[in-house]
Amino acid sequence: MSSEEPILMLRGTRGLKYIYGPPNSRTCDKFNAVDNPNCRDAIFTKDGNLIAWCTNQRTDVVDNISSKTLCQVDNPRISCLDFSPKGTYLSTWEPYTAKQNAQESCNLHLLDAKTGTSIKSFIQKKQKGWNPQWSDDEKICARNVNNEVHFFEDANFDKIAKKIFLQKVAYFSLAPGDAPYHIACFVPGFKGQPSFVRLFRYPNFEGSNAVIAQKSFFKAERTDFYWNKTGKDCIFLTSVDVDKSGANYYGELNLYYASVKGDTAKLKLGKDGPVYSVQWSPHSTEFCVVYGYMPARATIYNLKCEPVLDFVDGPRNEVLYSPVGDRLSLSGFGNLQGQIEVWDLKLKKQISKFKAQDSTLIQWSYDGEYILTATTSPRLRIGNGYRIWHYTGSLLVEVFLEMNVELFDIKWKPVPDGVCKEKPTTFTPVPGIKSIVPEVSKQVYRPPAAQGQKASFKLHDEDNAKKESESAALTKNQKKKMAQKAKKELEKLEDTVKTTNCQVPVKQETNYSNEFTGDPEKDKKIKSILKKLDQIEKLKKDQQAGKPLEINQLDKIKKADELEAELAKLQLS
C-alpha cells in the first residue's frame, strides 16, 4: 500500500475495510475487505506494517505492505488483541471459563505474530488490564499476578526472572524506552495507612536503595499512569469514587508527578473540580491538563510542574497533541456540544474553532494535517459515521452510515517514527464542503400535531428577551415620561392613604429607575448598582429609626448620589 496517502481502518457491522484519507478519499482496493459483522477487535503494530483482527471464526494477521496473510488462528472465542512494540508477538484474550484441566482454562495466549505459533498461555480472569506490558526493545515482559508483578526476559516465559514483592500491588506501569527500564507501582491504602506510588529501576526491587521515587497520599483507590516518550517522567492520576465530604459529585481526583531522578510533586490546579484529560507533548518536555467545573480550564505545565500556558475557560473535556507536537486540540464531547479548538503551540495562537456534534472519538492524523471525528457504537447506536477536518476548521469528508448500520471503531493506520515532520502553520481555512447536518434549532420543541400552529405559551427566555428588546427600543424621552407617570401614580396613592387614614405601607420614593437597556454587559452593571442602592435605602431607614450605624455603613450612604448618577448614565447611553 502507498505510504504517501493517509489510510483509515473502519470496523463495524459490515466488517472491516480500509479507505484513503484526504486529499483523495476513496476505498483502498489493495486490501481485501473482511465481510463479517462479528469483527470484535482490530489493531495495528506500532509502525503500521501489520494488522490483526478477530471474528467469531478466527484471528488473522496480515502484512500491510504486501497485503499477504501471515497467519490464521482458529479460535472463535478470541475477543481482544495486542501487539508487542516491535510487532514480534501477538497477545490474545478470551472470556475465562473454568475447566478441569488447568491448561485448558488458560485464556491469555502469547503467539508468534508471523507464524501464529503458541509461545505461552496463562489464566487471566479479568479483562481490564489483561494484556502483558513490554519494554520498547521487547527484552522484558511484565504481568500483574495475584498482587505481584512478574517479569520475564527475552520471551522466556517458562521462568520468572524477577518479582516485585509489595503488599497488594493494584496497578503497575512499565515505562516506554530502552534500558534502563523503569516501573511504577500503586498500592492502595489499608486500615488507615496511606496509598503510595513507588518507582523502581529494573531489576533492583529489593534493598534500601531500590525505590528511586515515592509519593504517598490518602483518598485513592486506583490510579492511571501517564509516561512521556522518554520514560523518565510520569504523571499519575489518583481517584476515589466517593468524596466523603460531599463536596464533589465526581468523587475525588488528584494529579501527582514523579521522575526517575527522584523528584515528586503534587500538581496545584488553578480551579476546583474533576480532572478530565491529561496528555504529554510528543516532545516530552510539557504536558496539558483539562480540569475544573464547567466551563473547564486547560493548562500546560513544564517538567517542574509550573504552569506555562493557561487557555481561556470553555466547554471542553479532552486534550490531544498532534503527533508531531506543533499543534493541540481542546474538545468537548459526551454531554457537551462537540466544540473543537485548535491551537498553534509555537505562536500560542488559536488557529480555528468548529463543532463536531455527537462525536464520540477524535484523533489526529500522523502528519498533523487532519483531525478525525466519529460517532461510534455502542456509545451511540444511531447516526454512526465519521468526519475528517483540516486543522484550519474546514470540513473535508463527511460520511454517515445507513440506518441500523453501526461503526465500532475507526483509526488512522500508524506510520514509522520520524516519517512525518513539522510543517508551517496556515491560519487561512482551506477549501472544504458544507455539512449535510442542519444546525441545532434554538426554538422550543413542538409535537407533530402542534407544528404550524401558534404557541399557546411562552418560555421565560422568550418573555425576558422580549422585555429586554422593548426596553432597549425605548427612547430617552419615552423613559422620562414613564418615570413621570409612575411618580404621579405614587403621589396619588399617598393622597388616597392620607384622606382615608388607612395604615397602608407606602414604598419609599427613589431617585433612580429600574429600567434595563437590553445590552447584557450594561444590564449586568445596572443590576449590581441597583443592589447597592437597595442596601443604601435599608440603611437610610435604619438611620431614620434611630439605629446606630457603623462607619463603613455611613460611607455607603454617602455614595448614593454617585451610584445614581452612574445608573442614569448607563440607562440613557
Side-chain angles (χ1 to χ4, degrees), residues 402-443:
E402 295 89 340
M403 187 67 72
N404 299 325
V405 177
E406 297 178 27
L407 179 65
F408 302 143
D409 192 17
I410 179 171
K411 63 183 73 171
W412 299 99
K413 185 180 83 67
V415 297
D417 290 338
V419 170
C420 298
K421 305 292 183 182
E422 290 186 13
K423 299 178 182 178
T425 298
T426 176
F427 290 85
T428 304
V430 302
I433 62 174
K434 185 175 177 60
S435 174
I436 62 173
V437 178
E439 291 187 8
V440 177
S441 175
K442 295 182 180 179
Q443 297 180 355

Side-chain angles (χ1 to χ4, degrees), residues 8 21 47 58 90 118 121 164 244 270 288 366 384 520:
L8 286 159
D47 58 9
R58 62 178 183 268
L90 175 67
S118 177
S121 297
I164 291 182
K244 294 182 180 179
C288 186
Y366 285 88
N384 283 193

Side-chain angles (χ1 to χ4, degrees), residues 86-103:
K86 290 186 174 182
T88 308
Y89 309 101
L90 175 67
S91 305
T92 70
W93 182 89
E94 61 193 76
Y96 174 75
T97 303
K99 297 179 181 178
Q100 292 183 350
N101 189 327
Q103 185 61 31

Side-chain angles (χ1 to χ4, degrees), residues 209-309:
N209 298 323
V211 179
I212 59 176
Q214 175 172 312
K215 190 67 178 176
S216 301
F217 37 80
F218 289 94
K219 299 180 182 179
E221 295 173 347
R222 57 186 172 276
T223 187
D224 296 312
F225 295 100
Y226 302 89
W227 292 93
N228 60 7
K229 270 189 175 182
T230 64
K232 308 298 182 185
D233 304 272
C234 181
I235 298 294
F236 47 99
L237 172 64
T238 64
S239 58
V240 61
D241 288 335
V242 179
D243 180 7
K244 294 182 180 179
S245 67
N248 197 336
Y249 170 81
Y250 297 90
E252 186 163 339
L253 302 98
N254 289 290
L255 276 175
Y256 299 89
Y257 164 85
S259 78
V260 298
K261 296 178 181 178
D263 301 325
T264 61
K266 179 180 180 180
L267 262 73
K268 296 180 180 178
L269 301 178
K271 190 175 183 180
D272 291 335
V275 177
Y276 303 105
S277 182
V278 181
Q279 196 189 26
W280 280 95
S281 162
H283 301 310
S284 297
T285 56
E286 63 183 30
F287 58 93
C288 186
V289 184
V290 179
Y291 60 94
Y293 297 113
M294 290 295 165
R297 184 169 300 175
T299 303
I300 293 179
Y301 295 86
N302 59 19
L303 293 180
K304 295 180 180 179
C305 298
E306 299 169 339
V308 294
L309 179 61

